[in-house]
Amino acid sequence: MAVDRTFRICPQTGLAYHRSAEQLMKAHAVAGVVALLVGGVLALFVALTRWPAVHMLPADRFYQALTAHGIDMLIFWIIFFEIAVLYFTSSTLLRARLASPRVGWAGFALMVIGALITNWAILRGKSSVMMTSYVPMPAEPSFYLGLILFAVGALIGCFIFLATLVIARYERTYEGSIPLVTFGALTACIIAILTIANGAIILIPTWLWSLGYISNIDPLMYRVVWWALGHPSQQINVSAHVAVWYAIAAIVFGAKPMSEKVSRMAFLLYILFLQLASAHHLLVDPGVSAEWKMFNTSYAMYLAVLASMIHGLTVPGSIEVAQRRKGYTKGLFEWLRKAPWGNPVFSGMFISLVVFGFLGGISGVVMGTEQINIIIHNTIYVPGHFHATVATGTTLAFMALTYFLIPTLFRRELIMQGLAKWQPYIFGISMAVLSLFMMGAGTLGVARRHWDMAFAGNPLGFEYPTTAYLMMGLVGIAGVGAVIGGAAYILITVGSILFGRKLPAGEITTQPEPVRAPVSEALEGHGGGVGVLEARGTFALAMLLLVSFVIYYFINWKYLASVWGLS
Amino acid sequence: MSAILPPAQRLWWKEPVERIEIVWIVLAFVWCLILTFMMPYWHVFGKQNLSNEAYRTTPQAFAAKAQAVVDKWKVREVGGVPVVRPPAGADIYLVGRLWQWWPAYELKKGESYRLHLSSLDWQHGFSLQPVNINTQVLPGYEMVITITPNEAGEYTIVCNEYCGIGHHNMLGKIFVVD
């Protein structure tokens, strides 16, 4: 087998696409969008069922739909897309040939087969166990098997990414260090490998248990190990979407990182403090001591939180610096006001950043606090949190990147550009509202994964306050809005790929120029040293985040202090 | 486009860090330390902490203890579930099972009780409403929490860990009297 060494140089962006990598990236992105479509249809049913006035599905269908919604969105859509991102950030950004594309196709096939098997298992109706599949509630063996096959496929993708980095270095396709965005993707890849290893440790025995080869899986052990899969996998998403934020800031504004060192350090902290969030799920579990909880949710200094707070400053900060260089220097916020708000690549990325920070980040830390978790655990506050982090943060960042990829990777002009302009707003704002009211309802005690908040027909009965009903109604409405926003994304992207005007392919070469930073940039450097870069506006926004964070955090302590004494 | 290109300065790790970044990192780090500090602080000065007390148990053993409490102190029934009025300070047992919290309790405001929680089958979520106190309940594990109700009223235990098709109908009651 001859090694494919042909590259296509994109005429608009100058990016060099390795021909074999290009096909794989397209396949993964398309498979991801298909999963998003399935998850999105289910999202509509879930939202319309939890909207008390509509209460659409019967109970069994609701739990079934919710299980599939969680898995299709959180696992299949995101990881398919992430493998595409890994290939893009290694092969394309480094102008290197992708390592062993054939193995890549085998990995892709495994992922597709795994996704189909798990969906089929859920569809059969005997595996409505939610994404977490807590033992001893059983699912059919095929439910676990599909997830295991999917994970093996994703693992293959991770190793191809790493091998491509090796090839790039060996064949000297770039000069100096790998770009920041590739570095971010590398942290995502390392976290993914660790995460999949944890997943194997728990899902393989659980699969054997479902087949009858193992008699008992301890429920607490399951939770400890499963969450070493469950939450670090969200750290993959965070690393990946922060890398996408930096990429979009660079693509749209030509923004440079404020300091390479700080941004890379922050990525590294995600790996070092990987398991913090796993322990957040065990804060009210029996048999886990307070000391264990305090240490493992913080490692004594919350440096993963610090890392996200750093990116929260440096991503918009780099945009501000770039904009000010272009002359948008008036006041604190001219740089932001004059940003291209009509460009979905930018607006999607910026909404993702703001909602991730203000809603997702703050709520995550608050409910991850040992004692505060008592008043939040398993309420609908929790899905409120992750619809801000994953559905708005990660998904919207990936959507924004797609608008960039369609012309350059798929070589199609975007159709319905008017709708595309609005799509990030419809999706992002609906999702933010949904998150906010889920958190509100959770504060009032509404349970997550629950079919009937009215407990109709139960002789004991319980009525939530009317405010809780109002909030769940608003969750339903916002959910429908988010589904419309998601549908618009699928319509535009699929429509563009099928019917968009074809764009020129650009020249084909076997010897692309190595990637290097332009000389002018090297001379200009990063502005020339300490205190030269001006990002006052970003700093003001960051302070707003910190103040909101502090206030909201202590409000929760105050609320906790009012409940029954517990010791 | 330097975030998607190799760093402009080959020796990027030797470059000085921007002042605005340093200020932010210091502020954020101090905040992270406060976040850490608050947890042990609350263990010393706060009144809402879960104990470390937990035991291995079996469904049979735990169900027998709950039955004993019912036999000893049952006062009435609500919706087919016995209501137990234990003396202050007593060990009380709450069973989570498909799909019921059993038994119900009548407690005195301001008194403390040692509440034992376990499940007889799958995982359940103890969610006391409307105060919104939530803990995880696992089969095979018996968690002990000393509870001190601070307000009279009728409280409902909702199950907030998904436990199958009857999950949304799994309720229990605690009555707190003056």
Side-chain angles (χ1 to χ4, degrees):
Chain A
M1 260 312 292
V3 173
D4 174 17
R5 288 180 187 278
T6 50
F7 287 81
R8 179 179 67 81
I9 309 293
C10 169
Q12 292 103 37
T13 60
L15 291 168
Y17 288 97
H18 180 228
R19 303 290 282 172
S20 309
E22 201 175 25
Q23 299 307 325
L24 271 167
M25 280 185 245
K26 285 183 189 172
H28 282 89
V30 168
V33 170
V34 171
L36 184 71
L37 172 65
V38 176
V41 171
L42 295 164
L44 184 65
F45 291 133
V46 171
L48 288 178
T49 307
R50 289 233 62 170
W51 182 349
V54 182
H55 209 227
M56 184 174 149
L57 295 180
D60 56 341
R61 290 288 174 205
F62 169 74
Y63 292 126
Q64 192 181 9
L66 189 54
T67 304
H69 167 66
I71 289 177
D72 281 320
M73 292 302 208
L74 207 48
I75 303 179
F76 300 150
W77 141 247
I78 290 207
I79 295 182
F80 270 125
F81 202 92
E82 272 164 357
I83 300 293
V85 168
L86 287 186
Y87 292 167
F88 180 82
T89 51
S90 56
S91 171
T92 309
L93 290 187
L94 297 179
R95 300 190 161 213
R97 66 182 171 88
L98 191 78
S100 50
R102 284 178 161 251
V103 181
W105 283 109
F108 176 72
L110 274 177
M111 290 170 77
V112 170
I113 292 167
L116 288 175
I117 291 179
T118 298
N119 269 298
W120 176 73
I122 300 169
L123 192 65
R124 284 160 52 95
K126 285 180 187 152
S127 299
S128 302
V129 293
M130 304 294 144
M131 196 189 84
T132 42
S133 55
Y134 288 139
V135 299
M137 182 196 295
E140 290 190 314
S142 50
F143 173 87
Y144 310 105
L145 180 65
L147 293 176
I148 292 166
L149 293 179
F150 184 86
V152 173
L155 194 60
I156 291 173
C158 291
F159 284 120
I160 289 179
F161 169 81
L162 294 177
T164 305
L165 293 191
V166 174
I167 288 177
R169 164 122 328 239
Y170 186 72
E171 296 185 354
R172 296 174 191 277
T173 66
Y174 65 97
E175 291 179 350
S177 306
I178 57 173
L180 176 62
V181 171
T182 310
F183 187 86
L186 174 60
T187 58
C189 173
I190 293 171
I191 295 170
I193 292 170
L194 296 169
T195 302
I196 292 171
N198 284 322
I201 294 172
I202 196 63
L203 283 180
I204 292 173
T206 307
W207 175 54
L208 295 174
W209 166 76
S210 72
L211 287 168
Y213 293 118
I214 292 179
S215 62
N216 179 45
I217 302 263
D218 184 88
L220 181 58
M221 183 204 74
Y222 180 93
R223 289 172 60 82
V224 172
V225 186
W226 195 91
W227 280 111
L229 154 79
H231 216 121
S233 62
Q234 306 315 312
Q235 236 88 353
I236 313 172
N237 303 340
V238 175
S239 282
H241 79 229
V242 172
V244 168
W245 291 347
Y246 279 112
I248 289 176
I251 290 162
V252 176
F253 299 95
K256 310 173 183 71
M258 298 177 81
S259 317
E260 292 277 353
K261 189 162 40 179
V262 169
S263 297
R264 284 172 199 243
M265 225 22 229
F267 272 121
L268 205 57
L269 288 176
Y270 283 141
I271 304 181
L272 298 178
F273 283 73
L274 183 59
Q275 299 291 357
L276 292 192
S278 310
H280 292 174
H281 296 263
L282 309 167
L283 289 172
V284 295
D285 274 34
V288 187
S289 76
E291 295 78 3
W292 188 94
K293 291 171 188 168
M294 279 187 282
F295 183 75
N296 284 296
T297 53
S298 67
Y299 296 141
M301 46 196 162
Y302 278 106
L303 291 195
V305 175
L306 179 70
S308 287
M309 289 175 83
I310 291 174
H311 292 307
L313 178 88
T314 56
V315 175
S318 69
I319 294 176
E320 179 171 357
V321 171
Q323 285 282 78
R324 283 180 187 273
R325 286 239 168 99
K326 286 182 197 139
Y328 300 119
T329 51
K330 254 188 258 145
L332 274 181
F333 294 117
E334 198 198 12
W335 64 276
L336 193 56
R337 274 202 319 276
K338 297 280 170 69
W341 292 101
N343 177 355
V345 181
F346 166 74
S347 62
M349 170 260 166
F350 206 82
I351 296 170
S352 152
L353 182 135
V354 170
V355 176
F356 179 81
F358 277 86
L359 294 184
I362 292 177
S363 65
V365 176
V366 166
M367 72 179 174
T369 304
E370 192 207 341
Q371 296 92 341
I372 294 177
N373 189 258
I374 297 170
I375 53 174
I376 292 178
H377 179 78
N378 266 357
T379 64
I380 201 162
Y381 189 102
V382 179
H385 157 73
F386 66 69
H387 280 82
T389 54
V390 176
T392 324
T394 309
T395 298
L396 190 51
F398 289 176
M399 286 175 169
L401 185 67
T402 320
Y403 291 121
F404 167 74
L405 289 179
I406 284 179
T408 171
L409 174 63
F410 289 91
R411 290 190 277 130
R412 298 289 180 144
E413 198 175 77
L414 216 56
I415 62 162
M416 295 187 273
Q417 299 198 0
L419 181 61
K421 215 180 254 189
W422 287 102
Q423 189 275 332
Y425 296 94
I426 302 171
F427 182 81
I429 293 171
S430 303
M431 210 49 114
V433 171
L434 171 115
S435 296
L436 207 59
F437 285 115
M438 274 187 172
M439 291 180 206
T443 306
L444 295 172
V446 178
R448 71 185 291 197
R449 298 172 166 179
H450 198 281
W451 177 67
D452 182 18
M453 69 186 283
F455 309 101
N458 192 303
L460 295 177
F462 174 64
E463 264 191 56
Y464 282 107
T466 18
T467 333
Y469 279 90
L470 179 68
M471 288 197 184
M472 289 310 290
L474 292 168
V475 165
I477 294 169
V480 172
V483 169
I484 292 170
Y489 165 78
I490 293 175
L491 189 67
I492 295 163
T493 51
V494 176
S496 301
I497 291 169
L498 295 178
F499 309 113
R501 193 169 63 84
K502 281 197 178 131
L503 296 173
E507 61 169 305
I508 306 288
T509 170
T510 50
Q511 287 271 297
E513 285 282 300
V515 214
R516 59 169 76 92
V519 181
S520 61
E521 233 174 59
L523 290 176
E524 197 186 323
H526 294 251
V530 178
V532 181
L533 297 188
E534 203 189 352
R536 283 181 292 146
T538 303
F539 194 76
L541 289 177
M543 287 308 293
L544 179 67
L545 174 82
L546 185 59
V547 170
S548 323
F549 200 162
V550 173
I551 293 172
Y552 184 67
Y553 181 71
F554 285 108
I555 285 176
N556 273 277
W557 280 111
K558 191 163 174 346
Y559 174 38
L560 175 70
S562 73
V563 309
W564 291 14
L566 305 165
S567 58
Chain B
M1 304 220 292
S2 108
I4 59 171
L5 291 176
Q9 305 289 342
R10 289 291 282 260
L11 303 180
W12 50 267
W13 56 90
K14 287 193 175 165
E15 278 183 290
V17 174
E18 284 299 318
R19 187 182 302 139
I20 188 176
E21 292 184 293
I22 294 177
V23 173
W24 177 245
I25 291 170
V26 169
L27 281 175
F29 182 62
V30 169
W31 175 237
C32 288
L33 291 180
I34 294 171
L35 291 176
T36 310
F37 168 77
M38 277 307 290
M39 292 186 283
Y41 170 85
W42 200 261
H43 273 283
V44 180
F45 296 101
K47 292 191 166 55
Q48 293 80 16
N49 290 288
L50 295 184
S51 73
N52 287 345
E53 197 177 345
Y55 305 95
R56 288 247 183 216
T57 184
T58 60
Q60 295 76 16
F62 193 79
K65 288 184 196 167
Q67 186 64 51
V69 169
V70 172
D71 292 343
K72 223 184 317 180
W73 296 314
K74 177 180 164 180
V75 285
R76 58 193 166 94
E77 280 198 359
V78 56
V81 179
V83 179
V84 176
R85 190 190 319 165
D91 281 276
I92 59 177
Y93 296 82
L94 184 68
V95 166
R97 63 183 173 204
L98 305 173
W99 288 283
Q100 185 184 50
W101 294 104
W102 190 91
Y105 282 98
E106 186 179 301
L107 308 178
K108 260 185 94 95
K109 175 184 159 185
E111 299 292 349
S112 296
Y113 303 84
R114 281 167 51 79
L115 173 66
H116 298 239
L117 286 164
S118 189
S119 161
L120 301 192
D121 32 59
W122 294 346
Q123 303 199 14
H124 296 291
F126 172 90
S127 178
L128 188 70
Q129 301 299 335
V131 276
N132 208 9
I133 291 169
N134 306 280
T135 73
Q136 192 75 18
V137 180
L138 305 180
Y141 290 86
E142 177 175 342
M143 175 151 70
V144 188
I145 310 169
T146 302
I147 55 170
T148 315
N150 60 4
E151 225 172 308
E154 181 182 325
Y155 295 85
T156 305
I157 308 160
V158 173
C159 178
N160 71 2
E161 183 58 76
Y162 171 68
C163 55
I165 190 62
H167 163 57
H168 47 268
N169 246 321
M170 179 167 169
L171 294 181
K173 286 285 175 191
I174 295 181
F175 303 93
V176 177
V177 296
D178 277 311

